[in-house]
């Protein structure tokens, strides 16, 4: 058991050490990307989804996409919310895996997490989907 814990500690330490902090230049690139993107928002994605804004968190190494859905979460059962989350999660992850644009290549290189947060029409957070760095 001690050997297992030691090995686990070494693996975690090595994996954490392999992610270098983002350079100040790269942080500025992401801040500029967010600023330029937000100038064109809100953007209607489909009949019920609006992309409201994009945010970058240096401390979380995360790019956030914030959406509003055109319905109230109060009108859905927990199983319907879970099904919706499952569908959105699948679509988001597949889109990231199959996206070969220069921007996504940069996200991959910088090991960014991508988070999609969906709020209902009342402003209540309904669904959060995280695509961790290394999974896309």
């Amino acid at each position: 058991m001690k050997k297992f814990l030691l090995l686990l500690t070494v693996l975690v330490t090595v994996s954490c050490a392999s992610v270098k902090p983002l350079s100040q230049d790269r942080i500025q690139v992401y801040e500029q990307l967010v600023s330029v993107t937000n100038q064109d928002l809100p953007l209607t994605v489909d009949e019920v989804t609006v992309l409201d804004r994009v945010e970058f968190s240096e401390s979380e190494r995360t790019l956030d996409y914030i959406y509003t859905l055109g319905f109230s979460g109060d009108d859905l059962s927990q199983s319907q919310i879970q099904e919706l989350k499952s569908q959105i999660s699948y679509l988001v992850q597949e889109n990231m895996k199959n996206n070969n644009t220069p921007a996504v290549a940069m996200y991959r290189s910088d090991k960014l997490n991508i988070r999609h947060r969906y709020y209902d029409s009342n402003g209540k957070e309904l669904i959060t989907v995280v695509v961790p760095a290394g999974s896309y």
Side-chain angles (χ1 to χ4, degrees), residues 2-18:
K2 285 184 178 181
K3 287 182 181 181
F4 173 75
L5 291 175
L6 179 62
L7 178 60
L8 182 60
T9 303
V10 169
L11 287 174
V12 169
T13 303
V14 169
S15 67
C16 290
S18 67

Side-chain angles (χ1 to χ4, degrees), residues 43-135:
L43 175 71
T44 301
V45 177
D46 59 34
E47 306 84 44
V48 296
T49 312
V50 174
L51 175 59
D52 296 309
R53 69 186 181 282
V54 180
E55 298 174 350
F56 173 67
S57 170
E58 176 187 352
S59 63
E60 295 181 65
R61 207 178 188 110
T62 299
L63 200 56
D64 276 300
Y65 294 85
I66 293 93
Y67 302 88
T68 299
L69 299 171
F71 52 84
S72 172
D74 296 336
D75 297 334
L76 301 175
S77 68
Q78 282 301 323
S79 64
Q80 289 173 315
I81 292 171
Q82 279 306 115
E83 178 61 27
L84 183 60
K85 181 177 181 175
S86 177
Q87 291 174 3
I88 290 173
S89 180
Y90 174 79
L91 291 172
V92 165
Q93 291 184 33
E94 286 302 304
N95 182 49
M96 290 302 296
K97 287 178 187 174
N98 297 317
N99 191 327
N100 294 313
T101 62
V104 173
M106 183 174 67
Y107 306 162
R108 283 184 188 112
S109 172
D110 289 337
K111 296 177 176 44
L112 289 190
N113 302 302
I114 308 298
R115 182 169 46 211
H116 295 262
R117 298 184 338 209
Y118 294 83
Y119 292 82
D120 73 1
S121 58
N122 299 319
K124 176 183 166 190
E125 189 166 353
L126 197 60
I127 297 168
T128 298
V129 174
V130 178
V131 184
S135 71

